[in-house]
Amino acid sequence: MTVSLALYEDDVSPATPRAWEAGVRGVFVRRGQIRVTTGDGNTDLEAGQCRLFTQAVALSGDAQLWTFELSARPVSEHGSSDDPRRILAHDIALNATKPLVLRCDHVAFPPGAETPRHGHKAAGIRRLVSGRLIAEIGPETRRIDAGEAWYESGDDPVVGRSIAPDSAFVRAMVLPVHLHGKPTFIAWSAQEAAKPRGTQRTEFFDTVVRL
């Protein structure tokens, strides 16, 4: 069985409020301020903040939102592949009938920082908020500019190197429940494990969810 993780971008303004049905989603505010209204009340978020919502929501304010949405449906059932909201979507081999963990965080690179070669115990989607990275992902080397998104399976070795000031990305990962509250980072060798991590991580949430 599979689940899917998708990243969407939405602009909300006083003239274009939004409303979404219930679903498992992490809402990151890229810029501006937003009010999220659920059956439990209002939550106000500003740029750089991210929260998990599972109820139906109404969105008002003036902001750009990057939303990571976890679904029991495979990507092939998401509808049109040319959906202008959708930045990236990927299937992940996890059982949708069991509890899962959705984890969202922010990873910042000091100037010139480079990560050890590593993998992860879980798959996920990243999007660069600012700066620029050179990323080695398996056999591929690519330059990643602000606004670009990419998927990491966790199984391929990865090295990330900052080549611009203030490089940082937001990330959503989908984990089996036994990894709740536990690190996913796997150094690729003992030599890589001895190197400094090179990044500064801020966790937004790490929550057990059901689809």
Side-chain angles (χ1 to χ4, degrees):
M1 298 184 68
T2 65
V3 300
S4 61
L5 181 65
L7 169 63
Y8 296 95
E9 178 179 299
D10 292 278
D11 290 311
V12 178
S13 73
T16 56
R18 304 275 183 172
W20 298 330
E21 297 178 353
V24 177
R25 51 176 66 91
V27 179
F28 172 75
V29 183
R30 173 65 186 88
R31 60 167 178 78
Q33 296 181 321
I34 196 79
R35 170 163 288 183
V36 184
T37 302
T38 70
D40 294 331
N42 297 325
T43 301
D44 293 324
L45 300 175
E46 59 187 29
Q49 294 184 315
C50 181
R51 290 283 182 87
L52 174 68
F53 297 94
T54 58
Q55 300 182 46
V57 299
L59 307 166
S60 58
D62 188 2
Q64 183 179 90
L65 307 180
W66 296 357
T67 301
F68 297 95
E69 188 168 312
L70 181 61
S71 173
R73 297 177 298 136
V75 173
S76 61
E77 297 180 9
H78 280 210
S80 174
S81 61
D82 60 1
D83 180 352
R85 297 178 56 236
R86 190 193 306 168
I87 304 302
L88 184 63
H90 210 285
D91 291 331
I92 298 173
L94 289 170
N95 190 337
T97 67
K98 295 183 177 181
L100 298 170
V101 174
L102 182 61
R103 178 182 296 172
C104 284
D105 57 11
H106 177 276
V107 179
F109 287 72
E114 180 174 305
T115 69
R117 190 174 302 276
H118 67 281
H120 283 277
K121 298 177 184 177
I125 290 175
R126 287 92 166 137
R127 192 175 189 188
L128 197 65
V129 177
S130 57
R132 181 175 295 130
L133 298 177
I134 295 294
E136 300 174 26
I137 305 173
E140 178 187 11
T141 300
R142 57 181 289 192
R143 189 180 83 166
I144 299 173
D145 294 313
E148 290 190 59
W150 70 102
Y151 172 81
E152 292 183 18
S153 69
D155 297 327
D156 294 318
V158 174
V159 177
R161 177 164 52 90
S162 173
I163 58 170
D166 301 319
S167 295
F169 62 79
V170 289
R171 169 175 62 187
M173 302 176 73
V174 187
L175 294 70
V177 74
H178 70 269
L179 289 175
H180 182 220
K182 298 179 180 179
T184 64
F185 183 93
I186 306 172
W188 211 249
S189 67
Q191 181 179 7
E192 296 295 327
K195 296 179 180 179
R197 292 281 282 271
T199 58
Q200 299 166 346
R201 175 179 171 271
T202 302
E203 186 171 286
F204 294 126
F205 60 82
D206 179 57
T207 305
V208 177
V209 298
R210 286 185 175 274
L211 299 177

